[in-house]
Structures are given as structure tokens and as C-alpha cells.
Amino acid sequence: MEETARRFFVHLQGIWKRFGPIVAVRDASLSIRRGEVLGLVGDNGAGKSSLMKILSGVLRPDSGKIIVEDRFVQFTSAGDARRCGIDMIYQDYGLVGSLSVLENIFLGRELIYGALGGMIGVLDRSAMKRRSLKALSEVGFSSIEVTRTAEQLSGGERQAVSICRALVLGPDLIIMDEPTAALSVKEVGRVLQLVRQLRSADVAVVFISHRLDDVLAVCDRIVVLRRGRIVATLNGSETNGSEVVAHMFGDVEARA
Amino acid sequence: MQRLDRQRLRQVADRYGSVIILLMVVLAFAVLEPRYFLSAANFNNVGRQASVLLILALGQLLAVATAGVDLSVGSVMSLSMIVMALVMEGGALDPSIVPAVAPLVGLLCGLVNGLGIIYLRLPHPFIMTLAMLYIARGATNLLSGGVPISGMPEAVRWFGSGELNLGMRIPVPLVVAFAAYLVIGGVLRFTRFGLQVYAVGGSETGALYAGVSISKVKLGVYGLCGMLAGLAGLILAGRTNSAYPNAGIGAELDAIAAVIIGGASFFGGRGNAPATFAGALMITIFRNGLNLADVTVFWQQVLIGVIVIGAVGLDVLRGRWLRKVAFD
């Protein structure tokens, strides 16, 4: 493997984030390569989601820098991050229940007829439908009717739709927040397979999860967060569950 | 395939149920009061009466579709009438462009609503637009001294009481209302803005995560709602040939009722222009028909209340229905 030769896609440097008296992220620095699956683990409230919501533009950091392909960037919305090729799939899937599958996939990234842009651009529904069907079949869910509303779907189907949403624009980095938490064993297998597909297509993936088995199965590197701080970076093929857990709960220092 | 057809049928009943009920109401009055109810004179009369409510309800639909509400439309309507009348009296503006003043005043009020909702982070649009209800009404009274101003320019009167000869004589205000429904209905159905309006109403968090600019959408919605209130003010001023400070008291409630009767969900994300059109028309036709049948105004109020409960009851049933379809 020529892992180390691969270019870094994004660097986070010295990120801090507070919510009132609570420090969610403390001085976190992190780099992610193309074609790499980076696991992000930690106990509840360790700051995993906050850190990644900063990278996806939903939250603004109190201080720290984000560098995408050697350029400093500042995100004021999820749309800004997406224009830099970064998209996030949320734990609760982030879908709008009353909208159809097709509308959910293209919400905030609508395809518009001709050159007419802006807010009153006319939706190109047939192109959106074509690309939705293609994306759904790529993730193995071609059975989903794109005209059904999201509230009519099962958990696995919703997850598939939110993954398609991130895929249709061909992103460089996908952040997946607990993508396997609510799925059946069979569906988990499908999602892990998809993560591997993304890696071989040279996409960077951040995989946030509580389920260490899934993390160990698919991640190249594993970053451990504890109380907002990055406490360890482990090589996915050399570590094991108990080492990761020890870092998560701080038993490493206790033993030393 | 058969299941799909049933589903489609349900979808149509779900979206346009109020249109179907409206046709039934019209049919009922046509049977009860055939001589006058179906006459051209009555058609023109209803069209003229309905146009103000139609336009206010259209704006309200935008707010309700984002899970918001605009309580200020009645006050904003009267403020835009009064300001337009004062501009006319000032004489600085050519009388033919005086009509543009009312929608502009409405647009400004609506943008203030939108900015307040976005930047003051008030917990619900209810608060900001309630404040605007009082402020605009107060400003109306301050500017007019509480006294009506009568004698509108020709151009303003045309909007309220003119007629177009399109084979039959159609009231201009009805044409204006219809055009507004075509434009706003088209925007809701076919554009990026429309999709994002429904997304914000369906789930604000979901829309935010998808990268929708919530502020842009809300500013657009309340700006348009205010502008439509101003347009309604122009039509009312033209119809009555005056601007009066008590105009539109309680009109916001009629507008909300029309939207709800039109099947929109008060929790956002659901509702469309044709159904709202039917909802507003139904309130007007109900009043008209009951008048012709000699039913007192007091009973009319009770009946409209009953219809609102019926419409929301249907909304609840529809929710159960959808869940059932989902697990079929």
C-alpha cells in the first residue's frame, strides 16, 4: 500500500468549540487523506459529532483553522462545505419526512433547468429522477420508489437515501455519523461494503461509530476522542477492541 | 400496479380535497337557491368579495407551509392603504403609479417581519408578527388620525372595481387574485424556492443539514406575504374608493381559516395554492350562499368554526391514513 504517499485532502488545526460552560472540542487537530477511511470513536459527549459538524459547515468553531486542499476555508453553512466537496450523513439521517425520496436527495443541491439559477430556478425533475435512480441502484436499494415520502420508509431505506444524497454530487469527503446504529445485520454489511467502494473510488470517509466491530472492520486509522480532546490515533490493522476502549475511557494513563 | 393507482388516488384526494368539497358546496347552494346564486351578477359579486381574502390567504399559505404564521396581514393591509392614500394626497407621484405604493409598503413590513424572525431569534413567527399586527395598526391610526381618506385615483379604482371583457365580464380583482395564484402556485410547485419552503416547514433541522439557507427562505416567505397583504390593500382601497384605518381587523384569522380549510398542515410542509384558493373561495361562497338563504351572520360564524374543526379533523385522519399506507 502506498497510503503515506497519498495527498491529504483536509487538515483541521487547533479547533475549539464551546457550548456555554461546556467545552465540546478542545484543541483538536486532524488530517484526512483521499481514499482513506478514518474512524472517529469516543464515549457519548466526547465531541465526535461536534467536531464533524464543524467540518461539514453546520457548526462554526470558536477558533482553529480548516484547510481544504492547501486553502484556508471558512464555512458558514452546509452548502459552503459541500462546494468544497465535503458532505455529511447525519445520525438521525437528516431527512425531511414530508418530502419525497427524490426531493430529499436533491434538497439544497437541486438541479435547475438551463442557465436560470438562483432561488426561482425551475427544478429539472426528470434529471433529478434519473440520477436518484442511478444513485439508489449503486447503493443496492433500487427497490425504493423515488416518489414515496421519506416518512414512509424503513430505517435502512432512510439511511440509503441519506447516503445517496451525499453521493449524487460526487464528494471528495463523506462524514458518516453512526451509519450502522439503527440497521439490521444484513443492512450493516451493505453499508460497510459501500464504505469500501468509496475508498477504492479515492473518496475520503470519516466513520463515526459506537460499534467498534464495524470500525475495526473498515477503518484504516482510528482517532479516539475523550472529553473533547484527541487522545490517540491508532492504525486500524494493528489495533484491537480492547486497546481502543482503553483509550476511550482513559485506562492507558492509569496503567502507565 | 393496482395498489399504486389507489395510492395516487389517495394523494389527489389528500392534496385537493378542498377543491372537491368546494364543488359540492357550490352544487348545494345551486340547488337550494338556483335563481340568484348561479347568476352572472352574483358570480361577479362573489369574485369581487373573495379577491381580498384570496390574496391574503395566498400569503398566509407561504407562512404556514414553513410551519410559521403571519398575524400581521390585516394590519399591514390597512397600513399600505393609508400610506398609498397619503402619497396620493401628497401629489408628488404620478397617479398612474400610485397603485404600486401599497404592495411596496406591504413588502417592507414583510421584510421587517422576516428580519425580526431571523435575527432577533424570536421563538416563533407568532411573536414577531403579533408585534407587527399592533405596530402596523398603530402606525395606520397615527398616520391617518383615525379618519378614512376617500377618493382614490382612477388607477387604484380600476384594481378594485374594474372589469375585463373576456367573453364575459370578469372583475379585475378576481383576475389579479388568479394571476397571483398562478405565479405563487407555480413558484411553490416548480422552483428551488418552493421546494425549500416545504423543506423548512417539514423539518427545519433536515433543511439546515441539507444546506438550505433557512434565513433566505424565511425572508422570502414573509416578504412575499407582506407584499400580497399590500396588494390586497390596493384592491380593497379600489373597491371602496377609500382608505380606512379599520380595514382588515380580524382578516388574518379569515386568511388562516382559509389556509386550514384548504388542507394545509399547521405544522408546516403541507398545503398548496389550488387548495388554498378553494378554501378562501369556500368561506366567501358560504357567507354569500347563507346570506341568500337568509341565515344570520351569527350562524355563519358558527358554521365557519365548524368547517375549520372539520378540516383539521380530516388532517388528523389523513395522518393516520398515511401511516397505515406506509405499513401496508
Side-chain angles (χ1 to χ4, degrees):
Chain A
M1 293 288 270
E2 38 172 19
E3 284 288 321
T4 43
R6 283 183 194 279
R7 279 190 304 131
F8 282 107
F9 174 66
V10 63
H11 300 276
L12 295 171
Q13 285 179 353
I15 304 283
W16 286 80
K17 180 69 186 175
R18 293 176 187 80
F19 296 105
I22 299 159
V23 184
V25 180
R26 287 169 202 269
D27 194 24
S29 297
L30 187 64
S31 301
I32 306 160
R33 292 185 187 90
R34 288 176 183 280
E36 169 182 57
V37 181
L38 182 78
L40 200 56
V41 299
D43 199 10
N44 283 328
K48 308 179 295 273
S49 293
S50 299
L51 182 59
M52 286 303 116
K53 279 181 182 168
I54 288 169
L55 185 53
S56 73
V58 169
L59 292 178
R60 252 134 279 172
D62 296 328
S63 61
K65 292 175 185 149
I66 304 175
I67 302 157
V68 177
E69 297 202 293
D70 306 326
R71 275 189 314 124
F72 287 104
V73 290
Q74 272 184 326
F75 299 147
T76 58
S77 75
D80 285 351
R82 203 168 49 236
R83 278 184 278 280
C84 287
I86 300 172
D87 221 322
M88 180 158 173
I89 297 164
Y90 294 88
Q91 186 167 6
D92 43 14
Y93 311 133
L95 300 181
V96 179
S98 53
L99 295 186
S100 72
V101 168
L102 177 146
E103 289 166 337
N104 265 295
I105 290 178
F106 281 95
L107 181 61
R109 61 211 76 185
E110 300 84 0
L111 301 181
I112 300 298
Y113 273 116
L116 238 170
M119 290 299 271
I120 55 156
V122 174
L123 301 172
D124 186 349
R125 282 185 184 268
S126 62
M128 294 197 293
K129 183 172 182 181
R130 226 171 24 246
R131 283 175 63 174
S132 302
L133 289 171
K134 184 163 166 271
L136 282 166
S137 75
E138 272 168 16
V139 300
F141 277 87
S142 46
S143 59
I144 299 177
E145 289 164 32
V146 293
T147 52
R148 294 179 77 188
T149 56
E151 63 202 352
Q152 294 174 294
L153 303 178
S154 73
E157 290 172 330
R158 283 183 206 204
Q159 179 66 273
V161 170
S162 41
I163 290 174
C164 285
R165 170 194 277 183
L167 287 182
V168 282
L169 288 192
D172 300 297
L173 168 67
I174 294 187
I175 304 159
M176 298 182 164
D177 192 357
E178 299 284 355
T180 55
L183 302 186
S184 68
V185 178
K186 192 178 148 209
E187 288 170 334
V188 168
R190 268 178 174 178
V191 170
L192 296 184
Q193 187 50 42
L194 181 76
V195 170
R196 292 189 189 100
Q197 270 174 31
L198 290 170
R199 171 170 51 196
S200 46
D202 220 23
V203 175
V205 179
V206 176
F207 192 91
I208 307 175
S209 184
H210 269 103
R211 295 168 56 144
L212 289 185
D213 290 347
D214 298 343
V215 173
L216 289 165
V218 80
C219 293
D220 303 308
R221 276 194 303 154
I222 299 169
V223 168
V224 186
L225 275 166
R226 190 167 74 239
R227 288 193 227 117
R229 204 183 287 281
I230 292 177
V231 293
T233 304
L234 309 165
N235 190 320
S237 56
E238 290 166 8
T239 189
N240 56 55
S242 51
E243 189 185 9
V244 174
V245 170
H247 281 291
M248 279 170 67
F249 297 102
D251 295 343
V252 181
E253 287 95 331
R255 262 186 273 160
Chain B
M1 203 59 216
Q2 207 182 4
R3 194 179 139 255
L4 206 74
D5 285 344
R6 253 175 61 206
Q7 217 177 13
R8 189 151 301 161
L9 203 69
R10 280 174 172 178
Q11 220 173 36
V12 169
D14 179 37
R15 284 198 186 147
Y16 304 110
S18 64
V19 180
I20 298 162
I21 295 171
L22 171 66
L23 293 176
M24 281 157 51
V25 169
V26 169
L27 200 71
F29 282 126
V31 172
L32 288 172
E33 200 62 45
R35 264 174 311 152
Y36 191 67
F37 182 77
L38 285 180
S39 67
N42 194 45
F43 171 79
N44 272 6
N45 185 19
V46 168
R48 230 178 272 286
Q49 277 174 14
S51 50
V52 168
L53 177 57
L54 278 169
I55 291 172
L56 290 180
L58 182 60
Q60 196 67 246
L61 167 67
L62 291 169
V64 170
T66 57
V69 69
D70 189 345
L71 294 177
S72 68
V73 291
S75 301
V76 168
M77 176 168 82
S78 68
L79 178 62
S80 47
M81 285 167 88
I82 291 290
V83 172
M84 181 174 67
L86 291 173
V87 167
M88 169 200 80
E89 286 188 332
L93 221 58
D94 189 273
S96 62
I97 46 174
V98 163
V101 173
L104 267 177
V105 172
L107 175 65
L108 282 178
C109 294
L111 290 177
V112 170
N113 273 337
L115 291 172
I117 289 162
I118 296 160
Y119 291 106
L120 300 180
R121 292 167 186 262
L122 297 173
H124 192 277
F126 190 100
I127 310 289
M128 182 65 211
T129 60
L130 180 67
M132 181 59 84
L133 178 152
Y134 286 109
I135 292 168
R137 183 66 63 188
T140 306
N141 282 315
L142 285 170
L143 286 172
S144 66
V147 185
I149 302 167
S150 55
M152 292 290 129
E154 171 84 45
V156 172
R157 275 183 283 136
W158 181 79
F159 274 99
S161 43
E163 281 182 346
L164 287 181
N165 202 340
L166 306 165
M168 65 187 284
R169 285 139 68 89
I170 310 277
V172 171
L174 190 60
V175 175
V176 171
F178 196 74
Y181 270 80
L182 278 183
V183 171
I184 302 285
V187 164
L188 276 176
R189 183 114 173 70
F190 297 112
T191 70
R192 169 181 285 162
F193 177 74
L195 177 60
Q196 297 191 349
V197 163
Y198 288 118
V200 169
S203 163
E204 199 165 314
T205 320
L208 179 75
Y209 284 169
V212 172
S213 166
I214 312 281
S215 316
K216 247 190 220 170
V217 171
K218 286 190 175 170
L219 198 62
V221 162
Y222 288 93
L224 279 172
C225 188
M227 196 180 82
L228 288 164
L231 183 63
L234 166 64
I235 284 174
L236 188 58
R239 194 171 89 210
T240 57
N241 194 20
S242 66
Y244 50 107
N246 287 338
I249 290 180
E252 60 282 347
L253 299 180
D254 274 351
I256 293 170
V259 171
I260 296 299
I261 291 171
S265 164
F266 210 61
F267 301 107
R270 243 185 282 273
N272 61 70
T276 300
F277 191 92
L281 209 52
M282 198 172 342
I283 290 182
T284 312
I285 288 182
F286 224 69
R287 286 193 176 132
N288 174 260
L290 293 173
N291 271 337
L292 294 178
D294 271 339
V295 177
T296 69
V297 173
F298 307 136
W299 273 113
Q300 293 177 24
Q301 288 170 340
V302 171
L303 283 169
I304 287 174
V306 171
I307 300 177
V308 167
I309 293 176
V312 179
L314 272 179
D315 194 48
V316 173
L317 285 179
R318 172 171 53 198
R320 283 190 206 151
W321 206 22
L322 272 177
R323 276 189 291 281
K324 218 184 120 224
V325 173
F327 295 110
D328 261 356

